[in-house]
Amino acid sequence: MNFLEKKICDEGIVLSPSVLKVDSFLNHQIDPELMLQIGTEFADRFKNEGITKIVTIESSGIAPAVFAGLKLSVPIVFARKKKSLTLTDGLLTSSVYSFTKQEQNEISVAKKFIQPGDRVLIIDDFLAHGEAALGLAELVDQAHATIAGFGIVIEKSFQVGRQKLEDQGYRVESIARIKEMDTKGITFILSEVMSS
Amino acid sequence: MNFLEKKICDEGIVLSPSVLKVDSFLNHQIDPELMLQIGTEFADRFKNEGITKIVTIESSGIAPAVFAGLKLSVPIVFARKKKSLTLTDGLLTSSVYSFTKQEQNEISVAKKFIQPGDRVLIIDDFLAHGEAALGLAELVDQAHATIAGFGIVIEKSFQVGRQKLEDQGYRVESIARIKEMDTKGITFILSEVMSS
């Protein structure tokens, strides 16, 4: 098991076969040393891709994204789920359905922060149905920038997100890939890079 | 000028004598190297305070807070502005009025992540009227933990936030303190530690 798979086994709580709670180190409380490891791993996997910008979404994507940005020496832009009064510039927007919250959200980024020449790494905490990932991809497309790939902290491989992204030709790198889970345990698709 | 005051002069946009837009490096796009410098400075100023936990609020507090947490080797908890479906545990909540958005928000943290023995450093991106800071302090108080102080990225010193916090006996450390600003320029209260 790699460092993240181990952490998920130690601290993750399986609420149902599709819902994993990792609020002790990623979604509410944040383990900064773990985020550094995750960010470093993303940077390593995409170091030859000429990344110029990282795009993520508030709030749980920010911590892993800033460490990847630090390691790759590129800025991060986080998409907002709610519009800000002081962000009055031209916005790129897309619509994302949340299966967890069962609601449609509009996400947005200021147009000026993603340029046509950018090579973008999209980072997010979870990949499940792929809705947030595709929404972020749409923002990058609208900016006429290039998507170099997706860095995902935890992938629920039993859901369709990865397939949707791969069908569109995107490279997907997930640090932990969950094959299946229930209250008795979690099975991972072990990564070639880091599994023992 | 210190590194942050210089960045504010270079990239900050004064929208009115009370509204400063720093979305190119803090509130929307994030400069990770700058966040590392800010987090390191917070850690340095509070290194002898026996900090066991950092509390911040989504979304713009997260980046400076994770670097401070990394340097102090302590976890971060970010208060949420909206309730999560998968966070069903006992919540501590308080009410925060946003002058910028002119609305009342309920903020919350899971009770289990702030313990009575904790010595908490509260970090936020801006200190203006002190509403968010006092809301976070109330959460920490409800948990019967101790507040070691506040680490603020940008303080609008012409507003009442610092006074409110100091009146309650709290230590406030701000990396940049704005004395006044208008579209012609920004005047800082230069810090003893880092100004040239």
Side-chain angles (χ1 to χ4, degrees):
Chain A
M1 283 201 289
N2 71 34
F3 65 94
L4 179 60
E5 292 157 354
K6 187 173 182 317
K7 187 81 167 181
I8 293 168
C9 286
D10 288 348
E11 298 188 21
I13 298 166
V14 179
L15 292 180
S16 78
S18 66
V19 179
L20 173 68
K21 192 168 165 179
V22 286
D23 66 346
S24 74
F25 60 87
L26 179 60
N27 293 137
H28 188 26
Q29 182 166 257
I30 298 172
D31 178 335
E33 190 64 48
L34 187 82
M35 295 302 120
L36 171 62
Q37 281 183 280
I38 290 168
T40 302
E41 182 66 30
F42 285 143
D44 196 50
R45 295 193 192 187
F46 287 93
K47 67 186 173 199
N48 298 321
E49 289 286 346
I51 305 297
T52 61
K53 188 144 295 191
I54 291 171
V55 171
T56 186
I57 185 163
E58 62 183 353
S59 290
S60 299
I62 294 174
V66 289
F67 286 110
L70 185 73
K71 295 292 174 179
L72 289 169
S73 300
V74 300
I76 298 93
V77 186
F78 64 89
R80 290 189 174 275
K81 292 175 179 167
K82 203 175 170 184
K83 282 174 188 168
S84 162
L85 282 191
T86 58
L87 295 173
T88 50
D89 294 89
L91 291 178
L92 305 173
T93 62
S94 69
S95 191
V96 171
Y97 182 74
S98 166
F99 282 84
T100 316
K101 297 181 182 170
Q102 300 187 2
E103 62 184 25
Q104 197 83 22
N105 288 301
E106 193 171 78
I107 66 170
S108 61
V109 294
K111 197 172 179 175
K112 64 181 173 182
F113 293 131
I114 309 179
Q115 294 295 318
D118 276 324
R119 278 187 63 80
V120 175
L121 168 59
I122 296 174
I123 287 181
D124 204 4
D125 58 341
F126 272 96
L127 176 63
H129 295 86
E131 296 291 320
L134 288 168
L136 291 168
E138 195 183 316
L139 297 179
V140 177
D141 281 341
Q142 285 176 26
H144 305 293
T146 306
I147 296 168
F150 289 80
I152 302 295
V153 181
I154 301 173
E155 174 188 315
K156 295 192 232 173
S157 307
F158 53 88
Q159 291 175 331
V160 297
R162 171 181 281 264
Q163 193 58 52
K164 280 189 194 170
L165 296 178
E166 288 183 342
D167 285 349
Q168 296 199 18
Y170 295 129
R171 176 179 171 194
V172 181
E173 294 286 344
S174 306
I175 314 279
R177 301 182 66 194
I178 298 174
K179 188 179 173 188
E180 57 184 349
M181 61 184 188
D182 58 31
T183 50
K184 295 194 192 79
I186 302 171
T187 310
F188 295 98
I189 299 172
L190 294 182
S191 65
E192 291 171 29
V193 178
M194 295 177 302
S195 59
S196 55
Chain B
M1 283 202 290
N2 70 33
F3 65 94
L4 180 60
E5 291 156 355
K6 186 173 183 316
K7 187 81 168 183
I8 293 168
C9 287
D10 288 347
E11 298 188 19
I13 299 166
V14 180
L15 292 180
S16 79
S18 66
V19 179
L20 173 67
K21 192 169 165 177
V22 287
D23 65 346
S24 75
F25 60 87
L26 178 60
N27 294 136
H28 187 27
Q29 181 165 259
I30 299 173
D31 178 334
E33 190 65 47
L34 188 83
M35 295 302 119
L36 171 62
Q37 282 183 281
I38 289 168
T40 302
E41 182 65 30
F42 285 144
D44 196 51
R45 294 193 192 187
F46 287 94
K47 67 185 173 199
N48 299 320
E49 290 287 346
I51 305 297
T52 62
K53 189 145 293 190
I54 291 171
V55 172
T56 187
I57 185 163
E58 60 182 355
S59 289
S60 299
I62 294 174
V66 290
F67 286 110
L70 185 73
K71 294 292 174 181
L72 290 169
S73 300
V74 300
I76 298 94
V77 185
F78 64 89
R80 291 188 174 276
K81 292 175 179 168
K82 203 176 173 184
K83 283 175 189 168
S84 161
L85 283 190
T86 58
L87 295 173
T88 51
D89 294 89
L91 291 177
L92 305 172
T93 62
S94 69
S95 191
V96 171
Y97 182 74
S98 166
F99 283 85
T100 316
K101 297 181 182 171
Q102 299 188 5
E103 63 185 26
Q104 198 82 21
N105 287 302
E106 193 171 80
I107 65 170
S108 61
V109 294
K111 198 172 179 176
K112 64 181 173 182
F113 292 131
I114 310 178
Q115 294 295 317
D118 275 325
R119 279 187 64 80
V120 175
L121 169 59
I122 296 175
I123 287 182
D124 205 4
D125 58 340
F126 271 96
L127 177 62
H129 295 87
E131 297 290 322
L134 288 168
L136 291 169
E138 196 184 316
L139 297 180
V140 177
D141 281 342
Q142 285 175 25
H144 305 292
T146 306
I147 297 167
F150 289 80
I152 302 294
V153 180
I154 302 174
E155 173 188 316
K156 295 193 233 173
S157 307
F158 53 87
Q159 290 175 332
V160 297
R162 171 181 281 264
Q163 194 58 54
K164 280 190 192 169
L165 296 178
E166 287 183 342
D167 285 350
Q168 297 199 18
Y170 296 129
R171 176 179 172 194
V172 181
E173 293 287 344
S174 306
I175 314 279
R177 301 182 65 193
I178 297 175
K179 189 179 174 188
E180 57 184 349
M181 60 183 188
D182 58 31
T183 50
K184 294 193 194 78
I186 302 172
T187 311
F188 296 97
I189 299 173
L190 294 183
S191 64
E192 291 172 29
V193 179
M194 296 177 300
S195 60
S196 56

